[in-house]
Amino acid sequence: MHFVSGSTPRVGYIHRLICPRIVVMSSRSSLYLTTPIFYVNDAPHIGHAYTEVASDVLVRWSRQCGADTWFLTGTDEHGQKILRTASANGVAPKEWADKLVAESWKPLLDLINISNDDFIRTTDERHETGVQKFLQKLYDDGHIYDGEFEALYCVGCEEFKPKSEIVDGSGAFEGEKVCKIHSKPLELLQEKNYFFKMSAFQDRLLKLYEERPDFVQPASARNEVIAFVQQGLEDLSISRTSFDWGIPIPWNSSHVTYVWFDALLNYLTAAGYGNDPEKLERLWPATHIVGKDILRFHAVIWPAMLMAAGLSVPEHVYAHGWLLVGGEKMSKSKLTGIAPNEITDTFGADAFRYYFMRAINFGQDGSFSWEDLRARYHAELANGFGNLVSRTIGMNNKYFGGVKPEQGELLAADTAIVDLVASAAAKAEEQMLKFQIHEAIASIWEIVDALNGYITEQEPWVLAKQEEQLPRLGTVLATVTEGLRALAVLLHPVMPDATEKLWIALGADQAIGALADQTIAEAATWNQLPAGTELQPLPVLFPRIEEEA
Ligand code: MSP
């Protein structure tokens, strides 16, 4: 990623000179981050929420690094998949989309605390006019021609499938060709279509992957994309005539735009393409977070489309793995989808966010299990973090009348904590820049473990029994309290609610300022919370969950 750490946006090159600790990957100090836009054929499951949370953590982290951020999410509403679902439910597709957006997709963002700046729907007028402008430009510039086509189509993927993703069906679909991802029969389509001359961009794409090794990440995704393009690119069918739920092709309204060509353009139309050139100039190019199933669209088709239009390709495309159930991608169509509120109703949004970001290596597949969620919730959140917070505030209340005590002379054990907080924060910064969210959280958690170990070793309850040890007791509790302040800042992008409660309980909002304004770069700077700051009542951060939950 290309954001710059620090309290104000700075130019990467200069910043690197004055602050060598921070890795800056581009000269821009802004971040325009996107999630994929979600199909509205059904309500979200935790796989969709996973993409949203990961993107949100990256954006919130970058904001606290001082980057100028813009965070986009939205819905993908055209195409056969939505049309068929709406028809099966006896309503018009727009009516169906309106209902799903209002009742399921927008509420998901509140449910898991997503801090998006904009929400685009492909049925928005700003999008439809932008798509038509883009198409017209490509047509006028000779990148589009008409032809005839026959191929196997997967409505689940909304894609003519490449040979590598066509497999023999089994069970009810024995003898049929099915999609490798959806395990459902493919449909043979034969139509007159318009085509985008994508094959013409093969060499430029290979050069892009070569010259910018961090364009597609992680490395496994990059290798897959390169191998795919090296096999040879075909031209892309970009219109359909057999149904009309889509954006009309501007020069021939008997065709509608292919749903993926339409959907990818959301990243431009939301950023002002076609109506606000200044906004576009400020935001573009974007960094895209996508699931690995839609990597090819973002790392091959999308940059080729942008090249044809004479626009910059994205900054990065990062493909994460899948949440698996029984070894397969969790999906509603396979009836393995779990609704996000099944988890948040019991564990809360913070635990949801923490669990998926911590337990699954970002970039790889991971299996969800209720047992693992429950075990981590209790061990890491309730006992590890929650208990650390409540006993520290409790001891400050009990021994110092609810104020942060004075820090006296630091002993080796205390400076070890100060140093560990600094090194953990620096490691987390580097790991987030490489999209290694799970590693960054593990680094921050070293602070939780170290503070718990420090309390056990320093035995403040023993010091409290000896009057002459009062200054030492103050130093110990001041050290842990400062550690908690640093933890609130570093964990805020992951657990916005719990850290806000902690921040208020520390009296830090009054003494220092709003939590969201605290920078990652300054998180480890010691003694920010003045001695004498009055602490406030602490609500329970992670309540115990009954076994049957
Ligand atoms: N509409 C397209 C994207 C268009 S972007 C221009 C689409 N929509 S989707 O609703 O099917 O998927 C949206 C995102 O959710 C994708 O990144 C996909 O990988 C992700 N996930 C869907 N199921 C998932 C899991 N089981 N696990 C992790 N992510 C999953 O594709």
Side-chain angles (χ1 to χ4, degrees), residues 41-46 48 100 104-105 184 329-340 342:
N41 59 314
D42 210 337
H45 59 62
I46 59 175
H48 303 118
L100 266 281
S104 301
W105 289 95
K184 295 247 173 83
K329 179 179 173 229
M330 173 182 294
S331 83
K332 274 278 172 84
S333 62
K334 289 187 180 169
L335 305 177
T336 53
I338 297 170
E342 287 182 51

Side-chain angles (χ1 to χ4, degrees), residues 36-39 45 47-48 76 260 267 291 293 322-323 329-330:
I37 49 169
F38 298 86
Y39 288 129
H45 59 62
H48 303 118
D76 190 352
W260 265 102
Y267 305 129
D293 46 325
W322 287 335
L323 299 193
K329 179 179 173 229
M330 173 182 294

